[in-house]
Amino acid sequence: MNLLSVVLVVAMAGAAAACVLLRAALGRMIGPLRRVAPGARVRWALALLAAPAGFGALAALVAFGPCLHTLVLGMPDACRSHGGPDFFFCLRMPMHNTPVAWAAGLVAGAWIASRLAVGAQALVRTRAALEHLRRLGTFDAKRGFWLVPGDIAIVAGFPRAQVYVGERLETSVSAVTFDAVVAHERAHQRRRDLRTKLAARAVSLCLPTALRTALLGELDLAMEQACDAIAADEIGDALTVAGSLLELVRAAATMPEGFALAFSAPFDHLEARVRALCAPDWSPSGRAASACFALCAMTIVGCVAFDLPLHDMTEALFERLLG
């Protein structure tokens, strides 16, 4: 258990360093990122959300690299031949009790557990709400969605997502706007965006709240723009879909219960979505992706090639921090 606490602290240190770098660069990244086509931008947002967890795992692997190497190959334990005299990152020797590591691990574990608990409660409430909607509504097999009371238009359900459309919505907006709403929600369903969002929230549990919220917002915007484009292709007119967005904004102000629309709410990205439909001008991101892949590959190769000195340096650093 002492070993587990130290592994967690090492991983936390790697994730924290990545979060600091990501937070410092985020302001400069948002502009170029939003000029990338929505489909590719979803992958970029997922990569950024997962980066701290990846750096944390890499830090733990670097710290225990030589020990893992000898253990996997069945070689004798060489941990005592290097590093400090009292503190070793070793999977075979007993780890010293480190109260600082236990305290940091418990704090981090409680923080992540609280986020998991909140997410689990939201899933339970959503499942209960959907069961209630299905009891009150009917499945329209011809149009392929659940027709339920109210003004909603959402995709929900796991592992199988379904489209839910409110009865009153169909009578509150024009037929063209209603068709755009349904096309948009079906696009979410076909793209399996709910699974992507769940995965994004899972890999970003270690991120600070502000950074996590910002990156999840960028992911949501990319998904909405991607589904807007699919709806425009299905209807055959991007300007019609853009007009439908504006009509939904006006209609939402007149409905006392408010919309629960993935199609239109939240409205903070409305301008970006309308602009993407009316004047799409996307920049290629292939070179940037290749550069990032090369940088990651070089980092991993460097960690493997210099694993022993990095291991010694990590031991010395954490001996001072945890000892």
Side-chain angles (χ1 to χ4, degrees), residues 1-7 10 64 86-98 101-102 315 322:
M1 294 301 291
N2 292 329
L3 175 63
L4 179 62
S5 67
V6 172
V7 171
V10 173
F64 291 88
D86 298 319
F87 194 88
F88 298 93
F89 284 144
C90 183
L91 301 174
R92 304 186 193 186
M93 294 189 302
M95 179 69 69
H96 292 299
N97 185 32
T98 50
W102 274 108
E315 275 188 340
L322 302 179

Side-chain angles (χ1 to χ4, degrees), residues 245-259:
L245 280 169
L246 299 176
E247 181 181 347
L248 284 168
V249 172
R250 291 192 296 269
T254 65
M255 293 187 180
E257 295 181 7
F259 279 121

Side-chain angles (χ1 to χ4, degrees), residues 20-81:
V20 171
L21 293 174
L22 190 57
R23 185 68 185 89
L26 187 62
R28 297 183 178 180
M29 293 170 56
I30 292 298
L33 186 63
R34 288 194 179 182
R35 289 195 290 271
V36 176
R41 198 159 77 249
V42 168
R43 295 189 290 272
W44 278 104
L46 286 172
L48 292 174
L49 285 162
F55 271 86
L58 182 62
L61 289 174
V62 166
F64 291 88
C67 187
L68 282 169
H69 178 75
T70 57
L71 185 63
V72 170
L73 295 181
M75 299 169 62
D77 185 12
C79 286
R80 290 193 182 277
S81 65

Side-chain angles (χ1 to χ4, degrees), residues 136 228 309:
L136 296 176
D228 287 342

Side-chain angles (χ1 to χ4, degrees), residues 291-310:
C292 287
F293 178 81
L295 180 61
C296 291
M298 290 172 59
T299 301
I300 294 173
V301 170
C303 289
V304 172
F306 300 98
D307 198 14
L308 188 57
L310 285 171

Side-chain angles (χ1 to χ4, degrees), residues 12 28 34 64 66 83 87 118 131 135 144 153 185 193 201 209 213 217 223-224 252 263 268-269 272 276 286 305:
M12 285 167 49
R28 297 183 178 180
R34 288 194 179 182
F64 291 88
F87 194 88
V118 170
E131 290 177 356
R135 286 195 299 268
E185 301 304 331
D193 282 344
R201 291 183 177 279
T209 301
T213 300
M223 288 180 174
E224 295 304 317
F263 179 72
D268 53 345
H269 292 316

